[in-house]
Amino acid sequence: MQLNKMEAKVEPKNEASIGLLHKLGFQQEGLLRQHEFEKGRYIDLGVFSKLKSEV
């Protein structure tokens, strides 16, 4: 696959996943506030990405 961008969305409290994304070279792009409804409540999601030019 010739991807230009990979993206991940993670709950801000999930420090282990965020740490792994940073280790893999992902950068945080922003925060999607109350983006997803889960277990009876809305949750925020952090958006992380890695560009082909950053590999």
Side-chain angles (χ1 to χ4, degrees), residues 1-2 4 6 9 13-14 17-18 20-21 24 27 29-31 34-35 37 43 46 48-49 52-53 55:
M1 294 191 315
Q2 296 180 349
N4 183 56
M6 291 186 290
K9 294 177 183 166
K13 294 179 183 179
N14 191 339
S17 291
I18 292 170
L20 178 60
L21 289 170
L24 294 172
Q27 295 182 20
E29 288 194 355
L31 181 69
Q34 296 186 3
H35 185 72
F37 192 74
I43 60 167
F48 295 79
S49 70
K52 182 178 182 179
S53 62
V55 175

Side-chain angles (χ1 to χ4, degrees), residues 18 29-30 33 36 38 40 51 55:
I18 292 170
E29 288 194 355
R33 300 182 321 150
E36 196 171 278
E38 184 178 286
L51 301 175
V55 175

